[in-house]
Amino acid sequence: MERVISTRTISQLTAIIDSVPTAIIMVDAQGHIDLANKQAERLFGYSAAELCGEIIDILVPYRFRAGHAGLRSGFTGNPSARPMGAGRDLFGLHKNGTEFPIEIGLNPITTEDGLFIVSSIVDISERKRLEARFRATVESAPTAMIMIDQAGSIVLVNTEVERLFGYDREELLKQKVEVLIPARFRVHHPGLRSQYFAAAAVRRMGVGRDLFGLRKDGTEFPIEIGLNPVQTDEGLFVLSAIVDISERKRQALELQRAEALERSNVELQRFAYVASHDLQTPMRSIANFIELLQTTYETKLDAQANDWIRRTHQSIKQLQTLTQDLLEYSRFDNQAHPFVRIELHEVLNHALSLLDASARELCAEITWDELPCVMGDHSQLVQLMLNLISNALKYQDNKSPRIHISAEKRATYWIIGVHDNGIGIAKKYQDKIFEIFQRLHEQKEYPGTGIGLAVCRRVVDHHGGKIWVESEQGKGSIFYFTIAAIKAITHEQCVN
Ligand code: ADP
């Protein structure tokens, strides 16, 4: 029996369709528009009366129209409810000629009058705009960012990712994210990924584990990863921010090494101090007994025994000098004083007074420029001058030593030079000699311990300067050191 639909029912149905917040357009199998609701009128700018009877293609931008008829007949040949144009960007054409991005759901309905297709059309301009803004934000981020879907496929990367991993973005998009992970971690990654998606939250990845990235060239680098779930209409994604921490790791390692070195230096210094300090007393008593032996039994012993005693005495003296120098060197930090204003002239006089006897014995001629006033540790600076001038007196070749102490002002510092006319130093040893125990001569040629210049370097370091030597073998040496200049300080201020 034919079912009669009342006019009341039709007007009710029309009201329902018009109240739906989505644009709805129904076309027949040939593509003629049969129905358009209020939202469709608003979306496309046509009235329902204008649309009805027209081919649906009038709502499709011109550039897609040619293919549209084919797509339409494809659908009517195999009708099923599904979204249209999966994977393609779809656009609607407004009456005023403007285009806008849309999403379309297709639903075939079969009636006595034949096949009809109901399309629900959603304007996705706003979503596209937000997506574009999101992409631009990710792109402009200073951090490498990768977005993946639940299957682990890369859907978005920024320039930083390209730079960090050495890939072009086209090479990465649609690839599994595991391509950026070293092989030994790959097996577990999909499992970890699923766990994350099951309880996605903003958090750091792999806390407590060392994470590594794999570059296209096969090299690895340490990374830190922040994970951010991004819920979209298309499902859940994860946006990861990746930071290359190679530099931080390197610095931490360097700091660790420096600390270890510092610790071993302190221990060594303590050891040197204890050893040299504790050796002083027994050594003094050995020296005393040897001297007693020498003076008391010299006439009673034969020449051989006396020679052995003399040599033992010499060696003990040498050992005493070595332990004293070592003690001096290891005591360096403990004996530092606060910096005060110091006349370098005074420092020089002090050092010369200690060297007076040997300078006189060698008929040395010692001259100097006008020397500045500086900030420093008096006893350390005396030690510095003493070591440099005593070397200048010692490393001579049967000549009378001629020594000059120069002072030259630079913008913020002074260069002090100790010039001698001694044996000079070959270029290749000029850095080495500032290291502890580095000597260039036999004891019998030039006695010494190889500690003096190491002490000089520590004094100069402690005063924030540099020390170096300019020399040529056989042509004398100049030992230079720098020391900070005091700004606008008068002689009177310095003296007071
Ligand atoms: P030491 O004099 O006890 O050997 P130093 O540390 O003072 O130890 O000097 C290290 C080495 O540098 C010396 O053994 C010597 O070979 C060289 N040297 C130092 N001063 C001079 C100088 N004025 N002229 C030539 N060689 C020098």
Side-chain angles (χ1 to χ4, degrees):
M1 201 175 74
E2 193 177 290
R3 188 152 170 240
V4 181
I5 301 175
S6 70
T7 27
R8 191 164 150 260
T9 314
I10 290 175
S11 67
Q12 268 175 349
L13 277 176
T14 312
I16 289 169
I17 290 169
D18 280 345
S19 70
V20 173
T22 316
I24 290 178
I25 293 178
M26 188 166 84
V27 296
D28 64 17
Q30 287 71 46
H32 294 106
I33 298 173
D34 195 64
L35 179 148
N37 72 352
K38 284 263 182 282
Q39 295 299 333
E41 289 181 316
R42 201 166 300 140
L43 196 59
F44 291 95
Y46 293 96
S47 68
E50 284 175 304
L51 287 174
C52 285
E54 289 293 339
I55 286 281
I56 184 78
D57 294 10
I58 65 158
L59 304 179
V60 176
Y62 295 104
R63 61 203 155 97
F64 300 121
R65 269 186 208 172
H68 198 246
L71 292 170
R72 239 186 315 108
S73 54
F75 183 82
T76 45
N78 181 21
S80 65
R82 59 176 167 81
M84 180 175 161
R88 275 186 300 126
D89 283 336
L90 304 178
F91 296 89
L93 180 66
H94 193 272
K95 187 180 178 184
N96 65 13
T98 56
E99 290 183 18
F100 50 95
I102 49 176
E103 243 174 35
I104 304 176
L106 299 175
N107 269 294
I109 47 173
T110 311
T111 70
E112 283 169 357
D113 299 329
L115 178 70
F116 285 84
I117 297 137
V118 177
S119 325
S120 47
I121 304 153
V122 181
D123 179 356
I124 55 168
S125 304
E126 180 62 8
R127 195 210 300 166
K128 285 276 174 194
R129 206 174 52 75
L130 289 175
E131 196 182 302
R133 200 197 300 163
F134 174 74
R135 281 175 184 275
T137 310
V138 168
E139 186 56 36
S140 64
T143 317
M145 289 191 149
I146 298 180
M147 192 151 102
I148 61 164
D149 62 16
Q150 298 221 30
S153 297
I154 299 172
V155 295
L156 179 70
V157 297
N158 64 1
T159 313
E160 270 304 293
V161 171
E162 295 179 292
R163 198 187 59 76
L164 207 57
F165 289 90
Y167 284 98
D168 286 339
R169 69 184 63 198
E170 289 70 32
E171 294 175 286
L172 288 175
L173 293 174
K174 301 211 174 83
Q175 283 259 29
K176 290 281 189 219
V177 71
E178 280 77 20
V179 72
L180 304 176
I181 297 171
R184 63 186 183 285
F185 302 118
R186 255 177 230 165
V187 199
H188 303 295
H189 198 256
L192 294 170
R193 188 165 19 87
S194 316
Q195 275 172 26
Y196 180 80
F197 271 99
V202 176
R203 65 166 169 86
R204 269 181 57 190
M205 180 172 161
V207 181
R209 274 188 300 131
D210 282 337
L211 305 177
F212 296 90
L214 180 68
R215 295 193 189 90
K216 189 180 175 183
D217 66 9
T219 55
E220 293 183 14
F221 58 104
I223 50 176
E224 231 171 52
I225 303 180
L227 301 171
N228 303 274
V230 179
Q231 189 67 57
T232 75
D233 295 348
E234 289 156 30
L236 185 59
F237 291 81
V238 179
L239 183 66
S240 326
I242 300 155
V243 182
D244 179 355
I245 55 167
S246 310
E247 183 58 17
R248 200 198 304 161
K249 284 254 172 194
R250 198 187 55 73
Q251 281 176 2
L253 202 67
E254 237 166 53
L255 190 71
Q256 229 174 18
R257 283 203 193 121
E259 280 170 358
L261 196 67
E262 174 73 19
R263 263 200 310 279
S264 84
N265 274 346
V266 168
E267 276 165 21
L268 209 63
Q269 221 162 297
R270 202 171 297 145
F271 168 77
Y273 177 79
V274 172
S276 47
H277 182 266
D278 291 3
L279 280 174
Q280 299 273 315
T281 320
M283 230 150 21
R284 206 172 304 123
S285 90
I286 295 172
N288 288 344
F289 280 117
I290 292 282
E291 262 167 28
L292 261 179
L293 206 60
Q294 228 173 4
T295 49
T296 319
Y297 292 98
E298 197 175 10
T299 51
K300 295 185 186 121
L301 295 170
D302 63 12
Q304 177 72 83
N306 276 318
D307 184 43
W308 284 346
I309 291 174
R310 190 185 50 76
R311 287 206 218 173
T312 312
H313 190 232
Q314 255 177 15
S315 299
I316 281 293
K317 283 279 165 213
Q318 203 177 314
L319 211 55
Q320 275 185 308
T321 319
L322 179 64
T323 46
Q324 266 156 19
D325 283 2
L326 203 55
L327 191 62
E328 192 66 52
Y329 181 79
S330 57
R331 260 204 306 230
F332 183 88
D333 287 333
N334 302 342
Q335 293 196 332
H337 300 110
F339 282 10
V340 290
R341 283 177 180 158
I342 292 169
E343 277 274 24
L344 272 188
H345 266 299
E346 221 177 80
V347 167
L348 179 63
N349 282 339
H350 193 147
L352 289 179
S353 70
L354 297 171
L355 290 166
D356 198 32
S358 49
R360 226 167 314 131
E361 196 181 308
L362 294 163
C363 300
E365 178 192 315
I366 305 180
T367 55
W368 52 89
D369 292 346
E370 194 180 325
L371 297 177
C373 182
V374 295
M375 293 297 288
D377 178 325
H378 190 270
S379 56
Q380 285 189 0
L381 291 176
V382 170
Q383 190 69 48
L384 171 66
M385 281 296 188
L386 187 68
N387 290 2
L388 293 178
I389 298 171
S390 65
N391 278 352
L393 288 169
K394 182 164 58 167
Y395 294 101
Q396 289 285 344
D397 211 0
N398 300 323
K399 272 186 264 157
S400 296
R402 266 188 295 111
I403 301 169
H404 180 72
I405 291 96
S406 63
E408 199 184 320
K409 174 90 191 313
R410 292 290 157 85
T412 56
Y413 59 92
W414 287 90
I415 302 180
I416 311 295
V418 177
H419 308 236
D420 69 43
N421 60 335
I423 58 172
I425 303 157
K427 225 175 182 55
K428 59 179 173 179
Y429 299 122
Q430 290 181 4
D431 286 336
K432 243 186 153 51
I433 54 171
F434 292 98
E435 286 166 27
I436 194 164
F437 302 133
Q438 292 296 332
R439 309 206 62 238
L440 306 179
H441 307 278
E442 295 281 331
Q443 278 303 330
K444 52 181 182 295
E445 225 184 332
Y446 294 102
T449 57
I451 296 175
L453 287 179
V455 169
C456 290
R457 188 163 68 176
R458 292 191 76 177
V459 172
V460 174
D461 279 353
H462 187 62
H463 285 75
K466 283 191 168 35
I467 187 167
W468 70 99
V469 63
E470 285 177 12
S471 178
E472 225 179 284
Q473 210 156 14
K475 295 197 176 164
S477 314
I478 315 171
F479 281 82
Y480 287 112
F481 67 88
T482 60
I483 190 158
I486 307 179
K487 269 191 250 152
I489 179 164
T490 62
H491 180 74
E492 286 68 32
Q493 275 176 309
C494 187
V495 171
N496 297 327

